[in-house]
Amino acid sequence: METKSLNQAQLCLLETFAGARSEEEVDELTRVIRDYYDRKLEDELERLWDDGTLDQQRLDELRGQHLRTPYKA
């Protein structure tokens, strides 16, 4: 098994979650992080829509694609 070092962001998250005193605090921290990435994704989608990279035609094309990684037997 390969050993990997944690980066600064991962260490920060570990320290933050280690300080949580209840399951509710863990849930709240998780929600805050999820909301942050939701906003980042929305901003990027807006940017792509505004610059014309993404439009309804492209969304329709993507809807029909199967993008899952095939599993190895």
Side-chain angles (χ1 to χ4, degrees):
M1 177 185 233
E2 183 180 334
T3 302
K4 295 185 180 184
S5 298
L6 298 176
N7 64 38
Q8 191 61 37
Q10 291 167 325
L11 290 171
C12 180
L13 285 172
L14 282 173
E15 290 173 5
T16 301
F17 276 88
R21 294 180 297 262
S22 68
E23 194 65 32
E24 290 78 23
E25 284 188 15
V26 170
D27 291 344
E28 186 175 354
L29 286 168
T30 303
R31 191 171 30 259
V32 167
I33 293 167
R34 185 181 57 237
D35 290 347
Y36 168 80
Y37 283 106
D38 284 348
R39 282 194 311 276
K40 297 286 278 185
L41 178 59
E42 280 293 322
D43 291 346
E44 181 64 10
L45 288 171
E46 279 293 322
R47 186 189 68 75
L48 291 172
W49 192 271
D50 290 344
D51 74 11
T53 302
L54 188 63
D55 58 15
Q56 189 60 50
Q57 179 181 351
R58 182 68 180 131
L59 289 175
D60 292 341
E61 291 170 5
L62 290 170
R63 184 181 302 128
Q65 292 185 5
H66 297 281
L67 302 174
R68 291 189 64 181
T69 303
Y71 293 103
K72 296 179 183 177

